[in-house]
Amino acid sequence: MIESTSSSRVDEVLTALEARYPDQPDFLQAVGEVVPSLVPVLERHPEFVESNILERIVEPERVLKFRVSWVDDEGHVNVNRGFRIGFNGAIGPYKGGLRFHPTVTEGVLKFLAFEQVFKNSLTGQPIGGGKGGSDFDPRGRSDGEVMRFCQSFMAELYRHIGPDTDIPAGDIGVGGREVGYLFGAYRKLTNTFTGVLTGRGLEYGGSLIRPEATGYGAVYFADEMARHGGRSLEGATCLVSGSGNVAQFAAEKLIELGARPVTLSDSSGWIHDPDGIDRNKLAWVMELKNERRGRISEYADEFTGASYHATDRSASSNPLWSVKSDCAFPCATQNEILGADARNLVEGGCWLVSEGANMPTDPTGQAVFREHGVLYGPGKAANAGGVAVSALEMSQASQRQFWDRGEVDRKLQGIMKNIHEMSAHAAAEYGFGQDLLHGSNVAGFLKVARAMLAQGVF
Ligand code: NDP
């Protein structure tokens, strides 16, 4: 009886959201992925139901939207849209990256900010969830254009953020270069030097291991899943998608652990190197993507035996996921593994998926993994290493301390192990067996819900 009440409550919340935000499918998908996990939690905690925690937690505390005008190298005035969403600040100041990509909309950022609430809670650090960005596309833009864009973006954003309010970081299209320009603008506008952005360079308050943290963390999480499943990453053939920050360092850690990454991609296509991407080849990719800002297609021209395949956007599946493998690390973007891709992965022998990207597997793909017993690490748990080390960067900045590489890496490993443990424990406790998707949703929710309850109704 109580179960059916909780489950109808969840359905009501979802239906109301669908009616309110019909133009935000990514956000609805992210919420739809979380709330079914909460049915047994609401059953056990009627106080959450009485305080309408569920209805409150799916609405952002605030959404900022602003114009960003900037001048390109030809002297033309361009206009983009800027956003910053503070989704939930119950357990700490808003924390989450900025995404600069033409696909950015309010709905995409709401999905990312919603995920971030649960992810940040899982890290055990005192950070709330937020996200922001712009539909500006830095690809093909000069450093001067990117700088002017970032300065104009910060000219509005600076009055809404701060080291105790909201601490942005990088995401797709926002790497060290962009964080540097954004931080410089904030510093000039506010006349302060504070830990207001993470992912900063080492010369101005950054932390060692922050660039590596998301990719390394996704592999540490995979290693935990593999060990608990009686398997090993050593010798495993791994599919990696993307070739940006997360993909590069996931590949680096895989190589270090004796695994064999064989694919990488960008939004134009993907490469397959059956001989494996070794340290030297990866160093070449890092130079290609981070210095020359080239395309992954060039890999196949450089290394014999490797092939390049352009992406066919009209196809219902991506052949990258058909390559025979043991493990998959989607590290590009949302919804890159659909049902057909998940089936291809299973048929190709894949037994583990660890998500470096946010929401890369759609619900049909997740159902396929569940049905076939694939060890599945959802993004909000598996890619939490980045934000966890961002929180460590904040601690170092506020204490004016600087920890060495080994210390930060050990803390990162400890945090990833802990997230795995908490998720596995919550899954078992709330009747979801070994399902880490449900487990991470429950574990992430409980801390935020208790904090909201304690703080009264806002
Ligand atoms: P980068 O901008 O460094 O790299 C993104 C990569 O994904 C690029 O190779 C890019 O190709 C590719 N890509 C982007 N959009 C698409 C698309 N629509 N279709 C296919 N490929 C695409 O970003 P990150 O590596 O930082 O981020 C990757 C993922 O990881 C994102 O989902 C992000 O939200 C998530 N993440 C990142 C964290 C971080 O610390 N950076 C933390 C946690 C999650 P191209 O060069 O052609 O654009």
Side-chain angles (χ1 to χ4, degrees), residues 83-214:
F83 303 88
R84 185 70 187 168
I85 297 175
F87 214 104
N88 194 304
I91 64 167
Y94 307 123
K95 179 93 199 82
L98 295 169
R99 177 175 290 192
F100 292 170
H101 195 271
T103 56
V104 162
T105 59
E106 185 178 321
V108 166
L109 295 177
K110 272 176 69 181
F111 121 60
L112 289 163
F114 180 74
E115 288 258 310
Q116 197 81 44
V117 173
F118 295 80
K119 181 189 309 193
N120 292 3
S121 167
L122 282 170
T123 66
Q125 308 283 325
I127 41 179
K131 201 83 187 187
S134 172
D135 55 2
F136 169 71
D137 190 353
R139 286 170 303 183
R141 291 293 179 186
S142 68
D143 287 352
E145 289 176 317
V146 171
M147 181 182 74
R148 290 192 292 281
F149 173 82
C150 288
Q151 290 173 342
S152 177
F153 185 84
M154 192 50 88
E156 177 57 41
L157 188 66
Y158 84 95
R159 58 187 110 241
H160 308 289
I161 61 175
D164 298 317
T165 316
D166 185 353
I167 307 100
D171 189 76
I172 290 178
V174 179
R177 174 182 60 168
E178 290 75 15
V179 168
Y181 293 146
L182 291 162
F183 180 76
Y186 182 88
R187 185 174 69 77
K188 290 303 279 185
L189 287 162
T190 60
N191 195 31
T192 58
F193 190 111
T194 62
V196 71
L197 281 144
T198 56
R200 282 173 286 154
L202 294 177
E203 306 78 10
Y204 56 100
S207 171
L208 286 163
I209 301 285
R210 176 59 191 92
E212 294 89 339
T214 308

Side-chain angles (χ1 to χ4, degrees), residues 291-354:
E291 309 300 329
R292 287 194 281 131
R293 301 193 185 272
R295 307 302 293 162
I296 202 64
S297 58
E298 295 172 48
Y299 185 102
D301 304 328
E302 181 72 15
F303 300 109
T304 40
S307 53
Y308 172 71
H309 313 267
T311 299
D312 174 4
R313 297 214 170 274
S314 62
S316 57
S317 64
N318 180 350
L320 186 161
W321 306 118
S322 303
V323 174
K324 277 196 181 319
S325 68
D326 297 295
C327 306
F329 292 80
C331 296
T333 192
Q334 63 268 22
N335 290 328
E336 47 171 326
I337 299 182
L338 308 179
D341 298 309
R343 277 188 292 279
N344 289 338
L345 277 166
V346 170
E347 275 166 26
C350 178
W351 48 265
L352 178 146
V353 177
S354 185

Side-chain angles (χ1 to χ4, degrees), residues 219-238:
V219 176
Y220 291 146
F221 196 85
D223 195 40
E224 277 302 303
M225 287 195 291
R227 288 196 300 105
H228 280 81
R231 304 266 202 158
S232 165
L233 293 183
E234 204 178 334
T237 298
C238 298

